[in-house]
Amino acid sequence: MERPNEGVVLRTANVGDRIALRGVRVRSRVAGLSYRTVVEQTFVNLDARAIEAVYVFPLPEGRRCAGLR
């Protein structure tokens, strides 16, 4: 299956919006036959006005996201 926009994507209504990735933290834990990975990403709005964005985080087939904050 082709995935043309594979990878993390942060989309806004205006292509001129300036959002920067400030940091990434990844923590994983293995327990028996399963594992849990927590990915923390911090973004900063470089504009003086509020920006609404859509965050896309693709997962491999058969995986799931247990939460998003």
Side-chain angles (χ1 to χ4, degrees):
M1 176 170 63
E2 186 177 326
R3 298 168 85 171
N5 294 320
E6 192 167 341
V8 173
V9 178
L10 196 62
R11 292 190 188 110
T12 65
N14 180 358
V15 295
D17 289 337
R18 299 180 313 140
I19 301 173
L21 178 61
R22 177 176 281 172
V24 177
R25 179 178 171 181
V26 179
R27 293 177 285 148
S28 291
R29 186 179 75 194
V30 176
L33 297 175
S34 66
Y35 62 91
R36 177 184 177 113
T37 301
V38 176
V39 179
E40 296 177 27
Q41 295 180 315
T42 304
F43 293 89
V44 62
N45 177 358
L46 299 175
D47 285 334
R49 62 182 175 75
I51 294 175
E52 183 175 326
V54 175
Y55 181 79
V56 179
F57 190 93
L59 296 173
E61 199 169 312
R63 305 300 190 262
R64 68 181 181 91
C65 179
L68 190 62
R69 304 187 261 177

